[in-house]
């Protein structure tokens, strides 16, 4: 059996945000075993799984991404929506827009220190839409 729901995340400022709890509150009861696919319907943010305990990791990740793909580069042609727009698309491509997470014993089978991240690459990205597909 497959279930699919779509929901909005609360708007978040630019950065890497732990959203595991926010995602879970939108999901129905999970099956005993299966797979959860999360897909974010945007091109200037991404989803990832990373460290869920130390907030310094999220700050460090933002610094790493900003150094990898800095704003205001003379070779960017797509600049009509602001200096953070083209870099946000590039960061999205590097990170990805979907995750697959196993479900075991009715719970997400994440590692002890793993959490779901919203990687918000725009200064003002607004509310983000996620499609969650649960495959039993």
């Amino acid at each position: 059996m497959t279930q699919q729901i779509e929901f909005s995340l609360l708007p978040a400022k630019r950065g890497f945000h732990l959203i595991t709890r926010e995602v879970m509150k939108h999901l129905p009861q999970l099956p005993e075993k299966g797979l959860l696919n999360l897909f974010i319907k945007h091109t200037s943010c991404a989803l990832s799984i990373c460290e869920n305990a130390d907030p310094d990791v999220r700050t460090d990740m933002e610094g790493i991404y900003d150094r990898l793909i800095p704003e205001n580069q003379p070779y960017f042609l797509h600049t009509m929506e602001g200096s953070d727009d083209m870099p946000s698309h590039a960061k999205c491509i590097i990170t990805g827009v979907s995750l697959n997470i196993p479900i075991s014993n009715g719970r997400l089978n994440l590692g002890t220190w793993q959490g779901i991240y919203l990687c918000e690459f725009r200064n003002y990205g607004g509310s983000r839409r996620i499609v969650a597909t649960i495959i039993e």
Side-chain angles (χ1 to χ4, degrees), residues 45-108:
C45 61
L47 295 173
S48 189
I49 293 177
C50 198
E51 164 77 44
N52 71 356
D54 185 353
D56 288 344
V57 172
R58 297 190 291 277
T59 302
D60 290 346
M61 290 304 301
E62 184 174 5
I64 290 166
Y65 269 62
D66 288 344
R67 284 178 191 84
L68 283 173
I69 306 170
E71 294 181 10
N72 299 309
Q73 296 305 300
Y75 48 84
F76 289 155
L77 302 177
H78 180 74
T79 58
M80 288 178 56
E81 293 182 46
S83 62
D84 65 338
D85 191 34
M86 188 58 225
S88 71
H89 297 316
K91 293 170 185 178
C92 173
I93 284 177
I94 288 171
T95 310
V97 294
S98 68
L99 297 173
N100 288 311
I101 305 169
I103 299 168
S104 302
N105 301 315
R107 301 179 62 163
L108 296 182

Side-chain angles (χ1 to χ4, degrees), residues 27-53:
L27 298 180
Q29 182 175 351
L30 297 175
E32 188 63 20
K33 61 183 176 181
L35 186 67
L36 171 66
N37 174 270
L38 297 173
F39 175 81
I40 196 157
K41 297 173 67 172
H42 303 276
T43 61
S44 56
C45 61
L47 295 173
S48 189
I49 293 177
C50 198
E51 164 77 44
N52 71 356

